[in-house]
Amino acid sequence: MTPLRALLTGAALLTAPLIAVGGAAPVQAQSVGVVQSDILVVDPERLYEETRLGQAITAQLQQEREDLIALNRKLEAELEAEELALTEQRDTTSPEEFRDLADAFDERVQRIRADSQRRVREHERNRERAPLDFMRQVEPVLVELMREAGAAVVMDRRTVLLQADVVDITSAAVQRIDATLGPAAPDEGNADGTEATPETADPAPDPEPETSPAE
């Protein structure tokens, strides 16, 4: 099960229509290839994976992940070099002085590990939020398509047992999202104003350098 499916399955978006308009008067359809129907279906996963907006979010999060890995490797190399230098001082310093140096090094290691873990947690939170943030961004486009089709409800395709293919507006929605939002929208992705972040199938980087303080 992908992160997008895990996030959306069982949520209110899936147990109820994605979008519903009560009492809305049908609007004449425009030339968008959308069937006139009271009920439409859409595949949120396809929207996320096939739109330029979703792809841009995915690429952005992948870059963030790679940056975290590179930073962790840099910090690990620095700590290994510092530990080696500290070890070489063992024979030239008093036990008390060496213990002070070792304690200071240990505090630095713990601080770096805590900072690294915090960055990874933030990355994971953004990654988990990205699919829902994406759906909030594209909701106005789905509402527009729904009104053009004279529909009252848009359902998640995965909750529909049987359907006629013509009521699936996913392809039309992908085209309209690309035309309306384009690839520049990820900067507006998260509700807290931070960079929008997508899902990625790769695991998060290991935040903890393996270097241990010298004894």
Side-chain angles (χ1 to χ4, degrees), residues 185-200:
D187 288 340
E188 305 170 0
N190 291 337
D192 59 4
T194 60
E195 291 183 344
T197 50
E199 66 170 344
T200 174

Side-chain angles (χ1 to χ4, degrees), residues 69-168:
I69 292 175
L71 177 60
N72 286 340
R73 288 173 177 168
K74 177 177 178 291
L75 292 172
E76 182 176 3
E78 291 176 354
L79 290 175
E80 288 176 350
E82 187 174 340
E83 182 183 33
L84 178 61
L86 179 61
T87 301
E88 292 174 349
Q89 298 180 55
R90 184 189 295 269
D91 296 333
T92 59
T93 58
S94 66
E96 294 78 12
E97 184 180 359
F98 182 80
R99 173 50 56 189
D100 290 341
L101 293 173
D103 289 344
F105 176 69
D106 182 69
E107 291 177 4
R108 172 171 159 76
V109 170
Q110 297 305 320
R111 183 173 64 254
I112 288 175
R113 285 180 172 175
D115 289 343
S116 181
Q117 290 172 345
R118 174 184 53 78
R119 285 190 292 268
V120 171
R121 286 194 299 269
E122 290 175 355
H123 172 81
E124 284 300 306
R125 282 196 297 269
N126 289 340
R127 177 174 170 268
E128 292 171 358
R129 256 197 327 257
L132 295 180
D133 289 337
F134 169 82
M135 290 304 297
R136 281 193 287 269
Q137 290 184 70
V138 303
E139 181 177 326
V141 177
L142 299 180
V143 170
E144 180 182 353
L145 288 172
M146 178 178 65
R147 293 184 183 280
E148 291 174 4
V153 63
V154 177
M155 300 290 296
D156 187 319
R157 179 186 178 97
R158 294 163 300 177
T159 65
V160 178
L161 181 60
L162 295 173
Q163 69 181 52
D165 288 340
V166 291
V167 301
D168 188 328

